[in-house]
Amino acid sequence: MEREFPLEKTRNFGIIAHIDAGKTTTSERVLFYTGMSHKIGEVHDGETTTDWMEQERERGITITSAAVTCNWVPTYDHADTMTKEAAKKASYRFNIIDTPGHIDFTVEVKRSLRVLDGAVVVFDGVAGVEPQSETNWRYADEANVPRICFVNKLDRTGASFEHSYKTILDRLSKKAVRAQLPIGLEEHHEGVIDLLEMKAYYFEGEMGIKVIQKEIPENMMADAKQYHAELVERIVENDEVAMNEYLDGKEPSLEVLKKLLRKAVIANDIFPVYAGSALKNKGVQLVLDAVVDYLPAPSDIPPVTGTDEETDEPIVRHADDKEPFSALAFKSMSDPFVGQLVFFRVYSGTLEAGSYIYNPRTRSKERIGRIVRMQADQREEVKKVFAGEIAAAVGLKETKTSDTLTDEAKPIILDRIKFPEPVINLRIEPKTKADQEKMGLALSRLSDEDPTFKVSTDPETEETIIAGMGELHLEIIVDRMKREFNVEANVGKPQVAYRETITGTAEAEGKYIKQSGGKGNYGHVKIKIKPMDQSVDPKDLPKNVKRTGGFEFINSIKGGAIPQEYIAPIEKGFREGLDRGIVAGFKMENVSVELYDGSYHEVDSNEMAFKIAASMAIQEAARNAKPVILEPMMKVEVVTPNKFMGDVTGSMSSRRGIIEGMETRGMNEVVNAIVPLSEMFGYMTNLRSMTEGRAGFTMEFIRYDIVPQNVATTIIEARK
């Protein structure tokens, strides 16, 4: 089977934005214009293609990222005048992921950006940059993903392209530059001006399907010329030859400018900004042209690096069908029709349905039953996938999110995706005996799908505890249990996921010696503990230091004082000892433990004895290292009409909030604050009654801080 689209004609990109900026509406237009859907589904009617879950349609928000494959013929190739054959030749293959904007589902953005080559960042033309746009931008920076900006909703009352553009420059990047100007705003928004080509575009016919090129209106010519010069300058700055020619008064041709702009976008040196209104069918096709012209193909990005399974040496794989197969599983979901679906991105090589892949994490082989390409919740079966493609596999039982799928003869381990830790938890119990077994299965399925959703058991009360990124996150999980798995459950009040840490240093000795006739137990360790230095990059740590999450283990044993085979059980003992903190029994983190001495007995020493000795030692050391409770702090942004400003800031201060800044945005005032999560429960109701229902807020986890003494006392009392 041959590759349908050459690698350079493939684009893997995501659509990311703050909640309500119009991502899903934009995705629906993309599906319509690329011929994937014959009618446009609207979010407000609950009929969208990419928001296919019941909960998404009811709430009008995106919860899970949806993958869609479609083909696009750039508008400048005039697909409507072509024969079918010519259109196929000119078309590009798009693999698109529509991601959620709500902070509770931020995991979806993070994992999608990891496997995508580019992104279209959508902004609300009234609000400009919003908190979640900043978070998503930060994730895109971490993943080094080239971006195109699309200022949407320019038909709305109060829309301002210039204001939105300024917020992008101020809050996200000085590398943004206008690629278009809108013709008219609010109800007068008619079309856009392309600043590179210096042409005006209007969108006519049913759903704006016809893109009509005209001359720039007289009254906008001066602005267009000024911004055209600015754009050309920014492009030539990135190329010495073009720069010198430009300074000599020669402007490069359109073809050369496009080539240079493509190079600069792929290198993350320029983020072009486009304009339009997806709801009013203006501007979307030109954004798709920009994806073709400026976002990278899999062959334009650096090859993927991983490590050798046995030696940990780095290995490089290029986006090439002839290289050994390597792919990353970035999402799994249970599908009611086919069972477990695992989404993966192929980095190198090819994969056929019915063949076997090797998973280095489980060190086992699994058979790929079928391979499907997703159109949101519809599936198209394919026999083979190639380098640079995104698809889903049916039949993988052991594979989880972040696993590498590779060729057994030439294995590689790709970097895992790092996910944030949950900050809020709930107690949950099944309503009936019949629900009990089903609940266990449902929770394990849901936690496999979503790495930021964790399930645990309270060791004292034996109750099941679920943890997630926010109240909405857990509410959706409980709702899905009910609908998809028919599990009825009683849910407790949301609780904050507190942590503990140490602020001082201490030493301790742990001895576990037991004689009971015959073979005894003997384990003896000496340790030092201190707060972990988080400023050090894990890559720069010495060989004897192992760091995972909030725990660092330093093995300083010399001369075989403790045999090598007991080191792993000792490390395990330290971890178990840190699972229950000293102050109030919360998990301890950011602790560095050095094992520097100890002793063993030829006959009586065993793994269990050393594990218990290590656990005892770390508990004693932590008791003497000034332990404290940590609480999750949230970055909160409240948008309120001016007249309620005093009430809002007063309410923030009463919730132990630190106000970081205020600004005016359109007709509203914006308050930015850092507030403990424990003080934010029920804030929505409180805010609505305070502001006649006219204010709104968003919040996201930012860091853990030490709890003040008076609050700590209350927490400790409650734990007793």
Side-chain angles (χ1 to χ4, degrees):
M1 181 186 158
E2 284 305 301
R3 182 186 257 288
E4 199 180 346
F5 282 83
L7 206 55
E8 47 285 353
K9 286 195 131 189
T10 303
R11 299 286 181 273
N12 299 316
F13 66 97
I15 298 180
I16 61 175
H18 183 86
I19 191 165
D20 273 352
K23 286 177 313 307
T24 301
T25 306
T26 306
S27 305
E28 290 298 320
R29 297 305 180 271
V30 171
L31 294 184
F32 178 73
Y33 296 134
T34 55
M36 282 311 304
S37 62
H38 300 296
K39 78 178 197 11
I40 291 184
E42 300 297 8
V43 176
H44 48 260
D45 298 334
E47 293 191 345
T48 53
T49 309
T50 53
D51 281 357
W52 51 271
M53 283 169 68
E54 282 175 42
Q55 292 91 332
E56 295 181 306
R57 292 185 170 182
E58 281 170 16
R59 294 163 194 257
I61 60 167
T62 305
I63 290 168
T64 176
S65 46
V68 180
T69 301
C70 52
N71 305 335
W72 174 244
V73 181
T75 50
Y76 43 77
D77 282 335
H78 305 300
D80 48 348
T81 58
M82 286 179 167
T83 63
K84 264 199 172 150
E85 281 309 303
K88 188 156 190 226
K89 238 183 185 158
S91 65
Y92 285 72
R93 162 62 52 83
F94 283 176
N95 295 311
I96 308 170
I97 297 185
D98 171 37
T99 62
H102 197 287
I103 182 65
D104 286 11
F105 310 107
T106 186
V107 54
E108 294 288 347
V109 182
K110 203 159 183 162
R111 61 168 149 205
S112 303
L113 281 170
R114 171 60 199 279
V115 296
L116 293 168
D117 305 329
V120 173
V121 191
V122 183
F123 299 94
D124 181 323
V126 179
V129 173
E130 296 173 274
Q132 197 57 27
S133 335
E134 292 183 54
T135 306
N136 292 341
W137 194 272
R138 194 171 68 240
Y139 290 159
D141 278 342
E142 283 168 19
N144 217 1
V145 170
R147 278 146 274 175
I148 284 172
C149 302
F150 175 51
V151 177
N152 185 25
K153 298 194 173 187
L154 289 175
D155 59 305
R156 275 184 62 195
T157 308
S160 161
F161 177 74
E162 286 306 312
H163 164 74
S164 301
Y165 174 61
K166 191 172 174 300
T167 61
I168 294 171
L169 290 180
D170 291 348
R171 295 191 213 163
L172 302 181
S173 173
K174 293 275 181 266
K175 295 176 182 174
V177 65
R178 299 174 190 83
Q180 289 180 344
L181 283 181
I183 302 170
L185 290 170
E186 301 182 348
E187 71 270 26
H188 306 299
H189 178 49
E190 293 171 6
V192 294
I193 292 169
D194 186 302
L195 294 171
L196 205 54
E197 296 178 6
M198 289 299 279
K199 292 280 183 226
Y201 285 94
Y202 296 88
F203 304 86
E204 294 173 8
E206 189 214 350
M207 306 309 274
I209 200 157
K210 283 198 171 91
V211 182
I212 313 289
Q213 189 189 73
K214 294 185 182 173
E215 290 309 313
I216 294 172
E218 266 316 297
N219 64 339
M220 294 192 71
M221 201 56 173
D223 280 353
K225 280 183 173 159
Q226 179 194 334
Y227 296 135
H228 168 77
E230 201 177 287
L231 176 61
V232 172
E233 244 169 70
R234 287 290 298 279
I235 294 171
V236 297
E237 266 172 22
N238 296 288
D239 184 275
E240 213 171 307
V241 179
M243 184 70 182
N244 291 334
E245 282 184 2
Y246 184 69
L247 292 174
D248 292 341
K250 273 199 294 197
E251 185 175 304
S253 68
L254 181 63
E255 202 178 324
V256 170
L257 284 172
K258 276 188 157 183
K259 265 193 190 140
L260 293 176
L261 180 54
R262 175 179 180 77
K263 203 169 138 196
V265 171
I266 292 172
N268 274 322
D269 288 330
I270 290 183
F271 302 115
V273 183
Y274 291 79
S277 161
L279 187 66
K280 293 289 191 285
N281 312 306
K282 288 179 175 50
V284 176
Q285 296 99 313
L286 300 184
V287 173
L288 296 182
D289 289 353
V291 167
V292 166
D293 292 339
Y294 309 122
L295 286 186
S299 49
D300 293 319
I301 56 170
V304 69
T305 53
T307 50
D308 183 287
E309 187 179 30
E310 302 302 333
T311 63
D312 269 357
E313 292 298 311
I315 311 176
V316 172
R317 291 276 158 88
H318 297 83
D320 187 338
D321 296 344
K322 294 184 181 67
E323 292 229 347
F325 175 72
S326 69
L328 185 74
F330 66 94
K331 180 180 166 75
S332 69
M333 60 181 252
S334 45
D335 182 292
F337 303 104
V338 295
Q340 191 72 355
L341 268 178
V342 174
F343 287 80
F344 60 93
R345 155 79 196 254
V346 184
Y347 284 101
S348 61
T350 61
L351 179 69
E352 287 191 50
S355 59
Y356 284 85
I357 54 99
Y358 175 66
N359 182 338
R361 181 183 62 82
T362 58
R363 296 199 165 222
S364 62
K365 285 190 338 185
E366 283 201 78
R367 184 172 177 274
I368 300 267
R370 291 153 57 198
I371 301 172
V372 292
R373 246 192 223 117
M374 297 299 287
Q375 317 299 357
D377 60 340
Q378 304 294 311
R379 289 160 297 278
E380 172 203 350
E381 204 150 324
V382 289
K383 291 278 174 277
K384 187 174 183 181
V385 284
F386 300 86
E389 296 197 321
I390 291 175
V394 181
L396 296 177
K397 298 275 185 294
E398 303 290 312
T399 304
K400 292 196 167 28
T401 297
S402 235
D403 282 354
T404 302
L405 311 177
T406 179
D407 180 342
E408 194 182 14
K410 293 193 173 163
I412 182 175
I413 301 175
L414 301 174
D415 284 348
R416 296 185 72 77
I417 309 171
K418 292 187 179 67
F419 295 112
E421 283 293 310
V423 292
I424 189 167
N425 46 37
L426 288 177
R427 293 177 187 280
I428 184 168
E429 56 179 30
K431 280 194 175 164
T432 66
K433 196 88 181 111
D435 285 325
Q436 185 127 23
E437 277 172 28
K438 286 195 294 188
M439 186 172 97
L441 174 73
L443 291 175
S444 110
R445 278 271 179 83
L446 292 166
S447 65
D448 281 350
E449 275 184 36
D450 181 350
T452 58
F453 170 63
K454 300 263 167 65
V455 183
S456 59
T457 307
D458 186 315
E460 287 170 10
T461 60
E462 296 293 314
E463 290 172 305
T464 303
I465 292 169
I466 57 175
M469 300 306 292
E471 290 181 80
L472 179 67
H473 187 194
L474 295 181
E475 196 183 305
I476 300 275
I477 294 270
V478 173
D479 193 35
R480 285 186 63 191
M481 271 175 42
K482 192 172 169 180
R483 293 190 198 198
E484 293 170 34
F485 301 94
N486 298 320
V487 177
E488 294 285 348
N490 295 324
V491 178
K493 270 194 171 137
Q495 303 283 329
V496 176
Y498 291 106
R499 297 269 187 272
E500 290 183 28
T501 191
I502 53 171
T503 55
T505 57
E507 292 191 24
E509 189 174 4
K511 267 188 176 172
Y512 181 70
I513 302 170
K514 234 181 179 169
Q515 287 307 123
S516 52
K519 197 172 173 212
N521 288 301
Y522 184 98
H524 174 216
V525 297
K526 290 184 179 179
I527 65 166
K528 294 175 186 166
I529 71 169
K530 62 178 184 193
M532 189 169 94
D533 181 358
Q534 289 166 306
S535 61
V536 179
D537 189 323
K539 291 191 190 84
D540 302 332
L541 294 169
K543 277 249 178 341
N544 68 328
V545 180
K546 188 174 163 193
R547 184 182 287 186
T548 40
F551 171 66
E552 183 176 86
F553 174 51
I554 306 167
N555 177 9
S556 302
I557 291 295
K558 300 271 189 305
I562 297 174
Q564 190 56 40
E565 69 260 32
Y566 298 133
I567 301 296
I570 288 172
E571 188 190 338
K572 198 170 179 205
F574 288 152
R575 284 178 188 283
E576 287 179 8
L578 290 174
D579 276 347
R580 289 198 63 71
I582 302 303
V583 189
F586 297 111
K587 186 179 174 182
M588 297 196 85
E589 54 178 43
N590 295 340
V591 178
S592 174
V593 186
E594 183 184 2
L595 172 69
Y596 71 91
D597 201 5
S599 62
Y600 72 105
H601 188 282
E602 287 286 352
V603 179
D604 290 353
S605 280
N606 56 46
E607 289 190 359
M608 189 191 76
F610 270 105
K611 194 170 107 176
I612 295 170
S615 188
M616 285 159 57
I618 201 159
Q619 285 266 323
E620 188 192 329
R623 214 168 269 120
N624 301 325
K626 300 183 190 147
V628 290
I629 300 178
L630 297 172
E631 63 180 341
M633 302 299 283
M634 310 305 279
K635 184 177 165 193
V636 179
E637 182 183 277
V638 184
V639 181
T640 173
N642 185 301
K643 68 177 194 180
F644 304 114
M645 192 68 171
D647 296 341
V648 168
T649 50
S651 148
M652 278 286 140
S653 306
S654 71
R655 290 170 184 270
R656 296 196 282 126
I658 299 156
I659 291 172
E660 293 212 308
M662 301 177 204
E663 59 178 296
T664 304
R665 187 184 293 165
M667 310 292 287
N668 291 323
E669 297 297 323
V670 179
V671 181
N672 288 302
I674 305 285
V675 193
L677 174 62
S678 58
E679 303 286 346
M680 290 302 291
F681 291 132
Y683 181 61
M684 192 74 222
T685 317
N686 181 268
L687 182 67
R688 280 184 183 145
S689 63
M690 203 165 38
T691 61
E692 298 164 7
R694 288 163 63 195
F697 82 101
T698 53
M699 70 173 181
E700 64 172 300
F701 171 70
I702 186 166
R703 60 171 185 261
Y704 270 97
D705 275 359
I706 296 174
V707 172
Q709 191 51 53
N710 59 331
V711 181
T713 312
T714 316
I715 296 170
I716 296 163
E717 282 305 311
R719 287 288 276 186
K720 282 179 185 166

